[in-house]
Amino acid sequence: MRGSRIKPQLVLALICALVFQIYASDPLFYESFDENFEGRWIVSEKEDYKGAWKHAKSDGHDDHGLLVSEPAKKYAIVKELDQPVSFKDGTVVLQYEVRLQNGLECGGAYLKYLRPQEAGWVAKEFDNESPYTIMFGPDKCGSTNKVHFILKHKNPKTGDFVEHHLKFPPSVPFDKLTHVYTAVITPDNHLHILIDGEEKKKANFLSSEDFEPPLIPPKTIPDPEDKKPEDWDERAKIPDPEATKPEDWDEDAPMEIEDEDAVKPEGWLDDEPEEIDDPEATKPEDWDDEEDGEWEAPKIDNPKCEEAPGCGEWKRPMKRNPAYKGKWSAPMIDNPAYKGIWKPRDIPNPEYFELEKPNYEPIEAIGIEIWTMQDGILFDNILIADDEKVAASYRETTWKPKYDVEKEKEKVDEPAPGSGALAGVQKKVFELLYKIADIPFLEAYKIKILDLIEKAETQPNLTLGILGSVVVVLFTILFRLLFGGKKPVAPVTPPAAPTETKSAEKDTTEEKEEEEEEKEEDKADGGAQRPRRRRA
């Protein structure tokens, strides 16, 4: 059989394809932090940024990263790219790893992808005012718990750059493991947010449902010069002007009166107090009457009262007063002058423009500019690529092995059930609840749900009660969504959650604090019950 000759054109095509494949497999930018960052990354010299960056190993690994080493500090560091990254030619993938080794109660762990800076700007002047194209990554403090994605987009009409925030972003994982965050920006105007390779959010840059404010301004806006007429009446109901208070209406009648029909229960102990001095209590040897005052034995419940209907002076119980009507007010009637809720007329929006594709500014540098109350935040494997497969391959080779090791160690270190920490089943429940909190139609209730979940995690003794509260919130929301109702869901108070609004509640809190102090003193005295002291 005669051998066939390969045409030179085919050989050239194969070589070109191979070269293209090799080139396409390289990231546009990659930082592994295997070597010290000094000299390659520039630490800001601005006065506010006192936090010290360190080249350190991730806990339990030989792999190095960029470490936030001090709590309660501001940090800023930047890396200028050799070549700008453009969004005009196709997909752009932004990816990096971060590990919250000491957790994250309040602070950020996001990256800023900087656009071209003004002439004369130098990296050592990087701060929160340095303009960026995209801000992406975890941020958690108080009611804030989200993976940010912010696009700064230039309005072609005004020339102003506007921050556009992703609506309903995913929540930050609550553990101390290494997680990899990925943002994929595609030519069809879509954004895909992945955490650990799993898509958590998909959005359209041109949709008003996905970004706030929307990239495309509304066609019309309320006329800022339109004013409500002075005679415009917005009251749908008014008190009936012809109504008069009935002659027999007693506004001074009390709400409750004594029940004259009540009789004292048989066996009531009038002469017995509800509390008596503890007969087993003795005056401490170190008690000084002049310094501490006259000693009084602590009180205990009177044991005689336990078997009787009651002790002390008997008083008739109160009952609702049938004559009580309260303050009289005229009944409400339809307002004949009602014109509806006034709003200004709409006019064409002078800032409106049409847009087929966002006008992304190129990325010329990567910066980390954060304020955090926690140390131990470790950044690693920062990647920019033009192919999703490249990002996926790096996740498999750089992130997945570390995560698997950490996950196994977490299982080994996990306390046994009943030790006060979260058991395995509970952790799965929490993971499910965090996913539920990310459902878009629950956004209005997300802060409330997350607060309850976090309380359950940090207070294991209250876990069951708080989980019950979360379930109540969810069922209430679903009920209102299914059957209607305009009233907002009433907040569910988790067990033992203190309030700080009413003076009576403050007094109760102070009393509890005093009781706790007395308990601590008792412990210091060997656990013996400490007698009450007379208050001055």
Side-chain angles (χ1 to χ4, degrees):
M1 188 174 186
R2 294 174 56 188
S4 59
R5 296 180 59 189
I6 300 177
K7 296 182 179 181
Q9 296 90 337
L10 181 58
V11 174
L12 181 61
L14 291 172
I15 293 174
C16 289
L18 180 60
V19 171
F20 177 78
Q21 182 64 33
I22 294 173
Y23 178 77
S25 65
D26 290 334
L28 303 176
F29 171 82
Y30 177 60
E31 173 60 81
S32 67
F33 294 107
D34 288 340
E35 299 178 357
N36 201 314
F37 63 87
E38 294 178 0
R40 295 179 295 108
W41 289 72
I42 307 301
V43 177
S44 175
E45 296 181 3
K46 286 296 188 74
E47 184 178 355
D48 288 346
Y49 301 96
K50 302 295 186 181
W53 296 97
K54 290 187 178 180
H55 182 242
K57 289 183 179 180
S58 179
D59 185 24
H61 303 289
D62 290 330
D63 187 43
H64 286 78
L66 181 64
L67 179 69
V68 170
S69 65
E70 300 173 290
K73 299 282 186 179
K74 288 185 177 181
Y75 291 79
I77 191 170
V78 67
K79 165 67 177 175
E80 295 182 282
L81 305 184
D82 295 334
Q83 294 291 333
V85 174
S86 172
F87 292 82
K88 295 181 179 180
D89 300 328
T91 297
V92 173
V93 184
L94 311 175
Q95 181 170 286
Y96 72 102
E97 297 172 16
V98 66
R99 185 179 185 187
L100 311 174
Q101 297 179 122
N102 297 326
L104 185 63
E105 294 179 6
C106 188
Y110 42 77
L111 268 57
K112 290 183 175 180
Y113 299 85
L114 307 186
R115 68 174 187 255
Q117 307 294 300
E118 295 181 359
W121 181 87
V122 291
K124 64 183 180 180
E125 295 179 355
F126 172 56
D127 61 8
N128 64 324
E129 298 295 330
S130 302
Y132 61 85
T133 295
I134 289 171
M135 177 173 143
F136 170 54
D139 188 18
K140 186 174 182 290
C141 191
S143 60
T144 299
N145 185 327
K146 58 187 174 183
V147 178
H148 272 298
F149 187 93
I150 304 173
L151 172 67
K152 274 200 173 182
H153 189 262
K154 187 176 183 180
N155 184 314
K157 282 287 188 71
T158 65
D160 296 332
F161 282 91
V162 179
E163 285 188 1
H164 301 276
H165 293 245
L166 176 66
K167 288 184 179 180
F168 315 124
S171 299
V172 181
F174 59 88
D175 55 38
K176 299 178 182 180
L177 308 179
T178 301
H179 294 282
V180 57
Y181 297 88
T182 310
V184 182
I185 300 161
T186 57
D188 62 355
N189 299 328
H190 278 90
L191 166 69
H192 305 263
I193 301 292
L194 288 71
I195 301 178
D196 298 344
E198 180 182 350
E199 183 171 296
K200 298 292 185 178
K201 177 72 177 180
K202 180 180 180 181
N204 188 323
F205 281 104
L206 304 187
S207 171
S208 62
E209 300 297 321
D210 291 335
F211 281 87
E212 178 62 37
L215 270 71
I216 302 176
K219 288 186 177 182
T220 61
I221 59 171
D223 184 355
E225 298 183 0
D226 192 14
K227 306 298 181 183
K228 182 171 69 172
E230 292 183 2
D231 61 348
W232 191 281
D233 197 336
E234 294 183 321
R235 297 173 301 163
K237 297 280 187 179
I238 59 172
D240 185 353
E242 299 181 0
T244 58
K245 183 173 69 173
E247 293 182 0
D248 62 346
W249 192 288
D250 184 2
E251 291 185 331
D252 297 325
M255 183 182 296
E256 290 185 330
I257 58 174
E258 283 189 357
D259 185 358
E260 297 295 338
D261 297 328
V263 295
K264 182 168 63 175
E266 186 176 349
W268 188 279
L269 304 178
D270 297 85
D271 300 328
E272 288 291 340
E274 293 182 1
E275 289 186 334
I276 61 172
D277 291 344
D278 185 355
E280 297 182 1
T282 57
K283 181 178 177 180
E285 294 180 359
D286 61 346
W287 188 278
D288 187 332
D289 289 337
E290 293 184 1
E291 182 178 338
D292 299 328
E294 183 182 353
W295 180 80
E296 294 179 354
K299 299 290 186 180
I300 62 171
D301 292 335
N302 189 343
K304 295 181 180 179
C305 299
E306 295 180 1
E307 299 178 358
C311 290
E313 181 185 358
W314 178 82
K315 294 181 180 180
R316 285 188 173 86
M318 303 296 285
K319 69 174 184 178
R320 183 173 179 81
N321 183 3
Y324 172 76
K325 293 185 178 181
K327 192 74 175 177
W328 181 86
S329 60
M332 304 298 286
I333 62 171
D334 292 335
N335 182 4
Y338 176 66
K339 293 184 178 181
I341 303 299
W342 182 87
K343 64 177 182 178
R345 63 176 175 267
D346 287 338
I347 60 172
N349 185 359
E351 298 184 3
Y352 172 75
F353 58 87
E354 294 184 357
L355 194 65
E356 293 184 0
K357 183 177 181 179
N359 184 25
Y360 306 102
E361 294 290 316
I363 297 173
E364 289 200 345
I366 299 175
I368 305 174
E369 187 274 319
I370 58 174
W371 174 87
T372 178
M373 294 302 294
Q374 273 70 49
D375 57 357
I377 301 174
L378 191 79
F379 296 88
D380 201 4
N381 295 314
I382 302 174
L383 170 78
I384 302 178
D386 55 8
D387 187 342
E388 294 179 63
K389 294 180 180 178
V390 173
S393 67
Y394 274 80
R395 288 196 299 268
E396 286 297 316
T397 56
T398 65
W399 166 75
K400 191 67 163 58
K402 287 189 293 186
Y403 180 80
D404 289 343
V405 170
E406 294 162 9
K407 200 69 176 173
E408 286 300 317
K409 186 176 185 300
E410 185 182 53
K411 292 179 181 178
V412 173
D413 295 341
E414 188 174 89
S419 63
L422 299 178
V425 174
Q426 287 176 303
K427 297 191 75 173
K428 291 180 180 179
V429 172
F430 284 126
E431 291 174 0
L432 176 60
L433 290 174
Y434 271 103
K435 290 181 179 179
I436 292 174
D438 283 335
I439 298 175
F441 75 80
L442 295 177
E443 176 66 16
Y445 311 93
K446 183 174 180 178
I447 292 174
K448 184 187 302 176
I449 296 171
L450 290 175
D451 284 345
L452 290 174
I453 297 172
E454 289 173 4
K455 283 185 175 69
E457 289 176 342
T458 57
Q459 303 178 55
N461 58 314
L462 303 180
T463 296
L464 293 178
I466 293 178
L467 286 178
S469 299
V470 174
V471 172
V472 170
V473 171
L474 294 176
F475 272 105
T476 304
I477 295 168
L478 292 174
F479 181 84
R480 292 188 180 278
L481 290 173
L482 291 174
F483 300 104
K486 297 182 180 180
K487 294 183 179 179
V489 175
V492 178
T493 304
T499 57
E500 302 178 356
T501 55
K502 298 181 180 178
S503 60
E505 293 171 329
K506 288 182 179 178
D507 292 341
T508 302
T509 302
E510 291 173 0
E511 291 175 3
K512 289 182 177 179
E513 290 175 353
E514 291 178 1
E515 291 175 3
E516 291 299 322
E517 290 176 1
E518 291 179 0
K519 290 180 181 178
E520 292 299 324
E521 292 174 356
D522 291 342
K523 292 179 181 178
D525 292 339
Q529 184 178 12
R530 190 174 182 84
R532 295 184 181 178
R533 300 188 179 189
R534 172 178 291 178
R535 297 180 182 273

